[in-house]
Amino acid sequence: MPEIGKIYEANIIDTTTAGAGVARIDGAVVFADKCAAGDECILRITEAKKNYFLASCEQIVTPSRKRIVNRCPYYARCGGCSLRHVSYKYEGKIKEKTIREALEKADVHDYKLNHIVMPSDERYRNKATFHFSKCGEVGYYENGTHNIIPLADTPCAIVPSEFSDIARFCTNIFGNDSPDSMTLRISTTGKIMIAFDGKRINKSFLSCVEKITDVFPSVCGIFSREKSSGDYISIFGDKYIKNDVCGIKYIVSPNSFFQINYSGAEAIFSQIEKMAGKEPVYNIFDLFCGTGTIGIFLANQHPEAKVIGIEINEAAVENAKMNAALNLTENVSFKRGDASEYAKICGDDSPDLTVIDPPRAGCSKKTIGALLNVMPKRIIYVSCNPFTLARDMKKLEEGGYKLIEATPVNMFPRSEHVETVCLMHIRN
Ligand SMILES: C[S@@+](CC[C@H](N)C(=O)[O-])C[C@H]1O[C@@H](n2cnc3c(N)ncnc32)[C@H](O)[C@@H]1O
């Protein structure tokens, strides 16, 4: 067994999505932060866990050919990215492998794993939250803490540079009277919406808002989030931003979910389009439908179908209804409810196709139960977590489905996260 505090020479044999190199030392598995398969390095064991050890990398003796030079000054401390030290191509391989292994471990086999779709890794995020410190600094939280990494001159490489400019401008105008945080969202046409958290609406705040909109004309709406109710109070301009994804218009308000990477969202829509096929489909359900993105897209692709979206968040349902009206899409409707109420909402309708796009936790037992009760002919499962995806796939396969194909989409380049779009059929 390796000893805590002791130094070892090690060959790194694998890389995790979290950016750790995997080594074997004295028979034990060791994870070393920010290493890559092929590195020969000197590791110091820092912590013993139940089945593995953690190590820090003291020196890279021979660097892996998969490595690249990281140019982000925040990378060592920030929790946002985990794979900036390896080539983007290799990142794709790591993520494909993670999905393959998660499904294998869950005993899900004999399906086609398509190549990962890799949208650009530059400035892809359309949403970011910056935090303010008591002494007026602004930046992201340090990984695993609430310490702030102050934004320096170099902007964060995965968000629009204007986000960093606005955040820095805000520290200057708010000084020591800053909000707790600010969340910025940019539309597909470059309009920016800001929501401040933990700031009382008073004269000095309103004067700061005026300064922001004078200097940054792309800011089209500003909100303040009330501490007690969590409600967003509009204090300037538009109440939402407008997006155009795959030719469909969507409005998004500050409290509703929207995919954080527009190119990634297009890639997901295109996979859904392929998996849904060209044959007529008459009943489609869109569970966890958010602002109706997938439901409206499919309703437009399949004008012969009746599409129903189910979503728990009331504001998102309202947005979804507005989005349907905006696109003059009449064959889609949205209901507020828990996805587990799917069987009840279906009634006697037997859906040809059901799309599910749950949060990271995946589907609840009740939702899986509802799917197996209704038994739609085909399921398209959009997942942002390979491990809950694999768990749910296993249950769906046990209930009579077969995974046909899975396409990974690198929705969150440089981070540990990956999206997967899967097609399941009822087993013959
Ligand atoms: C990953 S998002 C998908 C949104 C949408 N498909 C899209 O692409 O914009 C998950 C959505 O599920 C909703 N949600 C979470 N738990 C739910 C539940 N139990 N029943 C229905 N919707 C739920 C969230 O509010 C969120 O909008």
Side-chain angles (χ1 to χ4, degrees), residues 250 255-259 265 268-269 272 286-295 310-314 316-317 335-341 355-360 362-364 367 382-384 411 419:
Y250 299 101
N255 52 346
S256 49
F257 174 90
F258 201 85
Q259 302 287 357
I268 284 179
F269 283 10
I272 292 175
D286 176 16
L287 306 189
F288 308 93
C289 69
T291 50
T293 44
I294 297 170
I310 304 175
E311 161 64 45
I312 208 157
N313 178 316
E314 192 166 2
V317 174
K335 295 188 192 322
R336 186 189 174 196
D338 194 295
S340 64
E341 292 160 21
V355 180
I356 50 179
D357 185 5
R360 287 187 61 70
C363 294
S364 66
T367 302
V382 183
S383 159
C384 55
M411 187 75 148
E419 201 92 0

